Amino acid sequence: MVFRWFFNWIKKIFKKKKTLRIGIYGPPNAGKTTLANKISMDWTGTSVGKVSEIPHETRIVEKKEKIVVRTGNKKIEMDLLDMPGIATKVDFEDFIRYGLSEEEAKERAKEATKGIIEAIKWLDNVDISLVVVDSTLDPYTQVNLTIIGNLAARNIPIIVVANKIDLKESNVERIKGAFPQHQVVAISAKEGKNIDELYKKIAEIV
Amino acid sequence: MFEVEVISGSIFRNKTSLEKVDLLLHYIKKNQGKVLVIEDPLSPQEEAMLIEQTMLGIDEKFKGIEVAVIREENLSFAEKIAAILGIRKGITVIGPSTVIQQIKREKEPQRILLGAISRTNINNVSSVKNRKKVINKNPNSGEIKEI
């Protein structure tokens, strides 16, 4: 741990990166791909991935390279990494309930497990992380704590993105209360609400 | 009704992180139906490793796990040094997802609420009757209570 901190410190001094790798983490169905699409559409005019109500729609790390974001007088060049949702269980029968055939459901479950492993492996390779949580749900879950705990242990800057504020059940204060040591930005990726505030927070970290 | 087994943290003594995770998963798979409470908190890195290894082991029978870790927060300097040396206070609660439907955590005081799937309906999640069990650990005394 001490060696990793020292290595990161030395790396920061001698190597100023031009392009930042921004990892979008979170549990399934928190709105990670919707956010990635919003950022990408804003600055490149193209989307990153497909959005679906069926969990684990994103099963490989989707990468959008060289996105240039301008906020205030800052210009941020980033590679955006939309991670598969992290979970502790994957049950193919859950997908059947969404209308998939048994064969499709089993294949999706197999791909989802691989995606989760890939997302965890990427924890070592991001410069900034956006941890997307559904603001209508209890954020104090083990998956969220594990993601944030691992990013914090690697000294990777974290912005907690409280998504889905367009829904009336949204409770941003509950998220701020769960993660008081981290910056929380409340947004609606779907409606594009408060995304500028997110860009500003990213710019403050850079 | 599900069984809860409380195990001393000494089972992890002299084990690497991967060995700890493998041991937990071996135990969970061998004792489907049991919830384990281990008197030792996994570190965040071990939690991530646990998820990775769980994903590698998922098949039609083993659907995954539910896990919750309670560890002391806001450690003093001495406690941080102790944690680096592997001396950590807290617990790990883990069980197969076919038994635990949901783990709900509360922050102050740290509590874990288990929502379990009835054994007779283990394969029919949509029609289960939930039982709830609260495991409450006092970080100062180390006492574990079931409510």
Side-chain angles (χ1 to χ4, degrees):
Chain A
M1 200 168 124
V2 175
F3 287 116
R4 187 181 295 134
W5 176 84
F6 183 70
F7 178 73
N8 287 341
W9 183 67
I10 292 289
K11 200 165 74 175
K12 273 181 195 167
I13 290 172
F14 291 103
K15 193 179 173 187
K16 177 118 179 140
K17 277 186 180 168
K18 199 181 166 202
T19 305
L20 292 166
R21 273 178 304 217
I22 300 195
I24 304 181
Y25 276 96
N29 286 67
K32 296 179 295 302
T33 304
T34 308
L35 175 60
N37 284 344
K38 174 64 188 158
I39 295 172
S40 184
M41 285 300 289
D42 277 356
W43 303 100
T44 71
T46 57
S47 61
V48 175
K50 191 181 157 203
V51 175
S52 165
E53 63 163 1
I54 308 173
H56 299 287
E57 181 62 33
T58 306
R59 300 186 292 283
I60 55 168
V61 177
E62 299 281 1
K63 197 171 181 182
K64 193 79 177 178
E65 293 180 314
K66 308 276 183 203
I67 297 178
V68 180
V69 172
R70 287 183 173 81
T71 177
N73 55 3
K74 271 195 173 175
K75 190 177 96 172
I76 311 159
E77 191 173 305
M78 63 172 82
D79 289 345
L80 198 60
L81 299 155
D82 179 23
M83 303 290 176
I86 294 180
T88 58
K89 58 185 174 187
V90 178
D91 185 348
F92 75 91
E93 289 180 60
D94 289 341
F95 304 135
I96 290 175
R97 288 187 196 105
Y98 283 92
L100 270 64
S101 69
E102 188 172 328
E103 195 182 338
E104 287 169 334
K106 284 180 180 172
E107 186 57 29
R108 191 182 184 93
K110 196 174 162 187
E111 289 172 3
T113 59
K114 286 181 186 168
I116 291 169
I117 293 168
E118 195 187 356
I120 290 172
K121 293 211 183 298
W122 266 95
L123 282 167
D124 285 318
N125 292 298
V126 296
D127 301 309
I128 294 177
S129 59
L130 307 180
V131 179
V132 182
V133 295
D134 182 337
S135 65
T136 67
L137 303 175
D138 178 8
Y140 203 63
T141 64
Q142 191 61 46
V143 164
N144 287 342
L145 292 171
T146 299
I147 294 169
I148 288 174
N150 274 274
L151 292 163
R154 290 163 170 80
N155 293 318
I156 296 166
I158 299 165
I159 298 172
V160 177
V161 181
N163 192 22
K164 306 191 186 183
I165 58 166
D166 52 300
L167 300 177
K168 65 177 182 187
E169 302 88 357
S170 168
N171 185 345
V172 176
E173 289 310 309
R174 184 168 57 176
I175 293 167
K176 287 180 178 172
F179 309 112
Q181 67 277 45
H182 298 293
Q183 296 196 67
V184 175
V185 181
I187 67 155
S188 165
K190 188 179 169 187
E191 295 189 355
K193 273 187 194 167
N194 221 20
I195 303 290
D196 287 342
E197 186 61 27
L198 180 61
Y199 296 142
K200 278 182 201 164
K201 291 284 180 200
I202 295 170
E204 282 171 18
I205 292 172
V206 177
Chain B
M1 190 170 173
F2 65 90
E3 288 178 50
V4 176
E5 188 168 334
V6 182
I7 304 175
S8 160
S10 64
I11 60 156
F12 285 160
R13 196 171 293 152
N14 300 325
K15 290 205 164 30
T16 64
S17 295
L18 186 58
E19 285 169 344
K20 282 185 192 180
V21 165
D22 283 347
L23 181 71
L24 280 178
L25 287 174
H26 173 74
Y27 214 95
I28 291 293
K29 286 181 178 177
K30 192 179 156 196
N31 299 285
Q32 289 272 349
K34 271 191 184 173
V35 174
L36 304 181
V37 179
I38 299 116
E39 223 177 347
D40 189 18
L42 293 179
S43 68
Q45 292 90 337
E46 287 165 348
E47 289 167 23
M49 196 181 283
L50 176 67
I51 295 175
E52 275 188 88
Q53 294 301 314
T54 300
M55 290 303 123
L56 286 172
I58 281 184
D59 54 29
E60 286 178 33
K61 285 183 184 169
F62 178 64
K63 310 284 177 68
I65 56 166
E66 285 289 353
V67 62
V69 179
I70 289 181
R71 68 173 76 82
E72 282 192 64
E73 292 173 354
N74 305 318
L75 299 178
S76 67
F77 179 73
E79 286 167 334
K80 281 178 185 166
I81 297 293
I84 289 169
L85 296 172
I87 305 161
R88 297 178 297 211
K89 286 182 186 172
I91 58 168
T92 301
V93 179
I94 182 169
S97 62
T98 44
V99 173
I100 305 174
Q101 188 182 26
Q102 188 193 18
I103 290 187
K104 185 172 162 47
R105 301 177 53 113
E106 288 177 13
K107 199 173 182 187
E108 289 293 339
Q110 289 198 67
R111 299 205 315 168
I112 295 170
L113 181 71
L114 301 184
I117 296 170
S118 164
R119 271 194 173 184
T120 52
N121 289 309
I122 245 167
N123 293 318
N124 189 359
V125 179
S126 58
S127 64
V128 297
K129 286 182 179 177
N130 295 339
R131 275 189 200 85
K132 288 181 178 173
K133 181 164 283 200
V134 174
I135 295 176
N136 199 352
K137 181 162 194 287
N138 182 331
N140 298 319
S141 65
E143 183 189 10
I144 297 169
K145 284 180 187 168
E146 281 179 19
I147 302 167

